[in-house]
Amino acid sequence: MPVLHLHLLSDSTGETLEMIAKAALAQFDEADIQRHFWPMVRSKQHLDRIVPDLAANPGLVLFTLVNDETRARLEEHCRILGLPAVPVLDAVTAALEDHLGQEAHGRPGRQHAMDEAYFARVEAIQYTIAHDDGVGHEDWEEADIVLAGVSRSSKTPTSIYLANRGYKVANIPLVVESPPPRELFKLRRPLVVGLTTAPERLVQVRRNRLLSIAEGRETSYADAERVAEEVRFARRMFADNDWPVIDVTRRSIEETAAAVIRLYSERAHRSTPPVVGPKPI
């Protein structure tokens, strides 16, 4: 399969563009992609310095450029070079303009403005890092979400992903010999979610973990019977406390986080009091 040169041009950090490209590429098996990433393209001069690479590595150009002159210049270069250029947000922006009845602001990096939401996300990340792996249980009540599960059930990466979405997350490993702190069972504000996985998959993950840290001695950490017992222990705890459970066996971190967010949103919706109209006279 020939190499596809994928050029990503953004007038901001390029985070949005990279996520869109990643999501689209996931639909294609064994695609040989070479990415060329160009963030903060905010002038015609900057763009002109990129053109030689476009010419040397012809392929597909995806861009998010809101400045009319810059994007027109890119489109003209791509036309001359015979390269397809796709403005990935245009269709969504046009639909929003149509439904909202207003014109979009052509302001580069607007979605990354240091507004209240930005600082809330920073606070969420700081909280989540400080409450990883069972630390800081005294103030778990401040969390939005608490993830519980046995070791290597994706608690930490899922927590960090959720924190980047603005959620304060604490997580705790469930260990048969060491009961969780009592605070876990008294939480009212946070949504507690149990993460579980197939024991055989967990054994493989743990064995790989031991190899990565050059741990060669015999240990029950990756023993099949021991792992199955841990998973049963965690599942009983989830059931006894009526916590929602997500099986992460075949889920990516993004898919697990999306499932957690859906549970969180559903609970928030249920807890919102209904709007009561005026009583009839």
Side-chain angles (χ1 to χ4, degrees):
M1 180 179 294
V3 174
L4 169 63
H5 291 277
L6 184 63
H7 297 271
L8 307 175
L9 286 81
S10 171
D11 51 23
S12 186
T13 63
E15 179 183 352
T16 301
L17 185 57
E18 279 201 298
M19 290 178 64
I20 293 172
K22 181 180 179 181
L25 288 170
Q27 307 303 313
F28 301 90
D29 296 329
E30 300 179 359
D32 191 356
I33 308 296
Q34 184 171 337
R35 302 189 193 194
H36 304 259
F37 183 46
W38 312 100
M40 307 304 289
V41 181
R42 296 185 176 182
S43 69
K44 291 184 290 184
Q45 293 78 10
H46 187 176
L47 178 60
D48 289 344
R49 293 195 297 270
I50 296 171
V51 172
D53 191 79
L54 298 180
N57 300 286
L60 176 61
V61 178
L62 306 182
F63 67 90
T64 52
L65 302 174
V66 297
N67 181 273
D68 289 336
E69 291 185 2
T70 307
R71 71 180 282 162
R73 195 177 187 91
L74 171 64
E75 289 170 339
E76 176 64 12
H77 281 304
C78 289
R79 186 189 66 79
I80 294 171
L81 294 170
L83 304 180
V86 182
V88 298
L89 293 181
D90 274 23
V92 177
T93 303
L96 287 171
E97 287 180 331
D98 182 53
H99 284 273
L100 295 175
Q102 56 180 283
E103 192 172 323
H105 295 285
R107 198 178 307 169
R110 182 179 174 86
Q111 73 272 29
H112 299 290
M114 294 179 66
D115 55 10
E116 185 177 345
Y118 171 84
F119 290 108
R121 189 165 67 251
V122 171
E123 182 181 354
I125 293 171
Q126 292 174 337
Y127 178 93
T128 300
I129 292 174
H131 294 80
D132 182 40
D133 206 32
V135 175
H137 61 82
E138 300 84 0
D139 48 21
W140 277 351
E141 194 63 40
E142 298 175 18
D144 299 309
I145 298 162
V146 175
L147 301 180
V150 299
S151 175
R152 315 311 295 180
S153 56
S154 304
K155 298 183 300 300
T156 294
T158 303
S159 296
I160 297 299
Y161 187 93
L162 288 167
N164 276 281
R165 296 289 300 273
Y167 298 91
K168 291 183 178 180
V169 186
N171 74 75
I172 178 173
L174 299 180
V175 182
V176 176
E177 298 85 0
S178 179
R182 287 176 294 178
E183 285 83 355
L184 176 63
F185 307 104
K186 299 177 182 178
L187 296 175
R188 293 293 176 264
R189 180 181 181 276
L191 169 69
V192 181
V193 178
L195 301 185
T196 190
T197 187
E200 56 273 17
R201 169 62 176 160
L202 190 55
V203 168
Q204 188 60 52
V205 170
R206 291 187 177 184
R207 284 176 178 168
N208 291 340
R209 170 60 177 166
L210 292 175
L211 289 173
S212 71
I213 60 175
E215 176 64 73
R217 63 184 177 85
E218 289 295 323
T219 172
S220 62
Y221 182 67
D223 177 75
E225 291 186 12
R226 169 66 180 178
V227 169
E229 179 187 355
E230 288 185 49
V231 172
R232 287 193 297 270
F233 167 76
R235 284 185 173 274
R236 283 196 301 270
M237 184 178 297
F238 302 154
D240 290 345
N241 292 277
D242 198 27
W243 295 332
V245 180
I246 297 174
D247 190 331
V248 305
T249 305
R250 299 185 181 277
R251 294 180 191 260
S252 66
I253 299 303
E254 294 87 350
E255 290 170 330
T256 301
V260 173
I261 292 172
R262 184 167 59 250
L263 290 169
Y264 183 86
S265 299
E266 289 172 355
R267 191 184 77 152
H269 180 73
R270 290 195 302 269
S271 63
T272 302
V275 177
V276 180
K279 295 181 180 180
I281 298 175

